[in-house]
Amino acid sequence: MTEQQKTPYDLPDVSGLSIGILGGTGDQGKGLARRFALAGHQVIIGSRKADRARDAAADLGADLPVRGAENPVAAGEADLVIVAVPWDGHKATLESLRAELDGKIVVDCVNPLGFDKRGAFALPVEEGSAAEQAAAVLPGSRVVAAFHHVSAKLLLDPDVDEMQLDVLVLGDDREATDLVQALAGRIPGMRGVYGGRLRNAHQIEAFTANLISINRRYKAHAGLRVTDV
């Protein structure tokens, strides 16, 4: 098929990519590490402390291709890096890893949320969104926003074989968003769907607050499906 004949459904082969996960000791990062390792990817869990990262990797099982290391190692050695750190440490973490992340595709899945007695709510971000903050801090990286609406509990549940949801993928670099869409599809049941430019990441991150409300009301682990695509 020629370049002109390609459709939006033609995605690259990403089976050989190694994946670093900053904040991989948290539930979301650890869950993504588990699923990508099950799909055959070499995964490096990153943390500020190497021993915590190694412990998180060991928790996932010795039979999976996962290892733990300090964040600079995970950022520097992986082909692609997922950012799953807490929001309050987001900017500082990325600033400290600018050199290691230069030239790489960086997938930001951080949701800037606050919580009070009325539930979850979106926090204002000076740059517009966590993903746009990442792009501002990492001018040499190709930043993509994705994996915001994936249940950490389901990712870690050994009884859940398939993740039945779509992952909205946003970014300004078509090659990078195609690659991340393909990466989402490596997890059984999951599909990556292009969701717009990076400037539209705010509402994607903020919608996580709505999903939390849905899950609390219905005692569920809701995800998203996009119809007619």
Side-chain angles (χ1 to χ4, degrees):
M1 183 175 286
T2 67
E3 188 70 28
Q4 289 75 19
Q5 293 173 313
K6 284 185 177 181
T7 77
Y9 303 101
D10 296 315
L11 298 173
D13 179 6
V14 296
S15 58
L17 281 183
S18 62
I19 302 169
I21 302 184
L22 308 181
T25 58
D27 285 347
Q28 186 182 28
K30 195 173 176 180
L32 287 170
R34 176 177 178 272
R35 294 290 171 167
F36 285 126
L38 285 169
H41 292 273
Q42 296 289 325
V43 180
I44 309 172
I45 288 178
S47 176
R48 287 180 299 173
K49 296 183 178 180
D51 56 345
R52 287 190 63 204
R54 287 192 289 265
D55 288 346
D59 287 345
L60 295 178
D63 57 328
L64 291 179
V66 183
R67 63 186 174 95
E70 291 181 337
N71 280 330
V73 175
E77 294 187 3
D79 297 322
L80 174 145
V81 177
I82 297 174
V83 182
V85 299
W87 168 240
D88 59 4
H90 182 262
K91 187 173 185 178
T93 298
L94 296 182
E95 286 175 337
S96 71
L97 299 170
R98 188 178 287 120
E100 289 84 354
L101 295 172
D102 189 61
K104 293 182 186 283
I105 293 176
V106 175
V107 184
D108 201 297
C109 64
V110 175
N111 297 307
L113 299 178
F115 297 85
D116 61 19
K117 63 183 180 181
R118 293 190 292 172
F121 60 96
L123 296 173
V125 180
E126 182 179 355
E127 295 85 355
S129 64
E132 288 171 291
Q133 183 182 88
V137 170
L138 304 171
S141 301
R142 303 159 71 189
V143 176
V144 175
F147 300 110
H148 299 89
H149 306 142
V150 184
S151 166
K153 186 174 181 64
L154 294 184
L155 287 170
L156 289 167
D157 191 337
D159 294 326
V160 175
D161 294 325
E162 295 190 356
M163 299 288 298
Q164 296 295 333
L165 78 160
D166 290 335
V167 171
L168 295 177
V169 180
L170 297 90
D172 299 326
D173 182 318
R174 172 63 182 272
E175 183 181 39
T177 56
D178 281 357
L179 187 148
V180 176
Q181 285 180 249
L183 191 64
R186 295 283 295 166
I187 299 175
M190 194 179 289
R191 180 179 66 155
V193 177
Y194 176 71
R197 298 279 187 164
L198 205 64
R199 68 182 182 181
N200 291 318
H202 166 71
Q203 57 262 39
I204 301 303
E205 296 169 5
F207 186 67
T208 306
N210 299 86
L211 277 179
I212 290 171
S213 298
I214 292 169
N215 289 334
R216 286 181 174 176
R217 172 65 65 90
Y218 297 101
K219 302 187 188 313
H221 302 290
L224 296 178
R225 279 296 195 196
V226 179
T227 62
D228 200 33
V229 173

